[in-house]
Every structure is written in C-alpha cells, then in structure tokens.
Amino acid sequence: MIYGLGIVGCGSIGRALVLAGHAGQLGAPVAGVASRTSETAREFLHSLDSPPPYLEMEELVERSSLVIETAGGHVVPYLAEAAFGAGRDLMVISIGALLEHPEIIQRSRETGCRLYAPSGAIAGLDGIKSACQGEVDKVEMVSRKPIAALEGAPYLVENEIPLGQFTDAQEVFYGTAREACRGFPSNLNVSAAVSLAGIGPDRTTVRIVADPALTRNCHDITVEGEFGVLQVHIENIPSENPKTGRLTALSIIRSVRDVFDSVRVGT
C-alpha cells in the first residue's frame, strides 16, 4: 500500500519534517521514518502522540509515494536506486550528491519517477532558472559563515587550514561549485542547487569566507547576462546544527507541500 511520505534520516531536518507532518502541514501523511541512528530516532518518535512508525529501508520505500532524503549525501545513490527501482519519487536534500552522481538525474528521466531538489538555505532559484534560458555570462556565489559552521569540512582538514586561529574574516576557498561540494559536503549544497538551476557546476564559481564575528550563514549570489543583473542576499540563522540554517527545513516543508498542491506559484 502506497500512501505517504518516507523520511530517511532523523536529524534536525528529518525531525522538522516529522513534526510538520504531525501538525498536518505536509499535504500527505508520514508513512514512516528510517535512520542509521535507530535508537535516537525511535526515542524521538516515542516522544510524540500518534507517531509514524520506524521502518527498515526496504519497507519504508514500499510504503511511500515520495521518499525524502535528509541523511547525507552518502545515502543518495543507494536511495535513488531503491526508490526509482520501486517506482517511487525522490526528494534529495543533499543536492551535492547529484553533482557526483549525475546518473541519478538520468535515471529519474528514464523511469519517469520525479526527482526533487529543493532550494534549501538559498533563494532566487526561480530567477536564475529564468535568466539561464537566455545567455548568461557569470554566476558567482559568495558564502560567509561562522567558524562553527565550517569546522570539519574535508577541504579545510586536508589543507590544514586552522579556523580556530582566525581573528578576522578570511577567504578559505575559491573554485567551482563542483569543487565546493566535494570539499564542503555538509555546507555547500546551496551551491549545487544554484549550479543545477543555472549554468552548471563547472561554470558556477564559489567563494567561501570564514568569519569568527558572524552568527549567521550568509550567501550572496550574482548572475549577469543578457537579461541584466540578478543579486540575492541571504542571512540564515543556524538551526540546532550549525551547518544547517533554519530556512533549510522551512524550504523542505514547503517543497513537500508543493508536491501535493495543485496550485503552483513561481517558476
């Protein structure tokens, strides 16, 4: 029986989705939750009145019409194979995984199963998509983040960049969106979304600035082309996970609602 949403992962975003579903805000019931940290997930679910069931992955996919990944990029290839193989739609939060595994996008098109990649902590994707129907010369994203939001990023670890010693803002990365997602897999999914909406991951440039004075994750996007200039500025208050802004969970909740709403506003 296919009747609802299967949520994979029970971190800050997964919990926000479960709570939104519990409040009737998603447009469809939550069919179940799966997580690699089953004990923590079960404890959270048991704290709710009438919680959705905790399910193993195979049963979760079977009982869902839309599978939602909130667990990290490492699960996306397996989850896409399972969901599309069963004829289910998939929403991917860890969008950077789609740059590393473009075959997932192709598989969605081959099977006819829908693949959703929400905006997350970013804004302006509708404008970027529209602009890139014409000639575009430049898409650049500058992300300024607090130290805590960047700690542990593979690029910083590999290059031995000592964030803890910074006393003022310093640029720690400049490169393509593809390189940014590889080096900062928990921080720069927004750049993957911008690149997929626009001119691609190898033509989209990204700068990352670590700023010990910041308390918010800030993003500035500039697009220049035959249409003119588009500039977007976001200051995102972090959630309980400093790597994830509060806007991310709100974006996912709205994206799920839009899947089941017959009225669509925006590009």
Side-chain angles (χ1 to χ4, degrees), residues 6-9 13 67-73 75-76 79 90-95:
I7 299 173
V8 180
I13 297 176
V67 180
I68 307 172
E69 172 274 316
T70 75
V75 307
V76 172
L79 198 56
L90 175 66
M91 182 174 289
V92 172
I93 311 309
S94 305
I95 304 176

Side-chain angles (χ1 to χ4, degrees), residues 62-239:
E62 181 182 345
R63 296 179 63 177
S64 303
S65 55
L66 173 64
V67 180
I68 307 172
E69 172 274 316
T70 75
H74 63 285
V75 307
V76 172
Y78 164 77
L79 198 56
E81 181 178 353
F84 296 158
R88 310 303 192 249
D89 295 337
L90 175 66
M91 182 174 289
V92 172
I93 311 309
S94 305
I95 304 176
L98 301 180
L99 304 189
E100 290 297 300
H101 299 278
E103 69 275 7
I104 293 173
I105 297 174
Q106 182 60 32
R107 180 66 172 154
S108 166
R109 290 173 172 148
E110 291 172 351
T111 62
C113 297
R114 292 195 174 275
L115 174 62
Y116 299 97
S119 301
I122 208 68
L125 293 191
D126 54 347
I128 296 172
K129 288 164 65 177
S130 298
C132 290
Q133 284 299 111
E135 291 296 323
V136 167
D137 304 313
K138 169 187 174 181
V139 178
E140 181 180 66
M141 178 174 173
V142 180
S143 290
R144 297 176 175 85
K145 290 178 171 270
I147 298 299
L150 293 170
E151 286 179 339
Y155 179 88
L156 301 178
V157 173
E158 292 167 9
N159 290 278
E160 299 181 347
I161 298 175
L163 292 180
Q165 298 178 22
F166 289 6
T167 57
D168 55 11
Q170 294 191 40
E171 182 174 295
V172 295
F173 174 85
Y174 174 75
T176 67
R178 187 186 303 279
E179 293 166 338
C181 288
R182 286 173 179 165
F184 300 82
S186 299
N187 310 94
L188 267 297
N189 280 298
V190 286
S191 68
V194 169
S195 72
L196 290 173
I199 56 177
D202 299 312
R203 291 181 59 201
T204 303
T205 57
V206 177
R207 296 181 185 273
I208 303 174
V209 176
D211 188 343
L214 281 180
T215 58
R216 300 182 178 187
N217 297 318
C218 302
H219 306 289
D220 289 278
I221 303 167
T222 301
V223 183
E224 297 178 3
E226 64 175 335
F227 72 97
V229 178
L230 168 67
Q231 293 182 316
V232 181
H233 176 75
I234 306 103
E235 295 186 13
N236 205 347
I237 298 173
S239 66

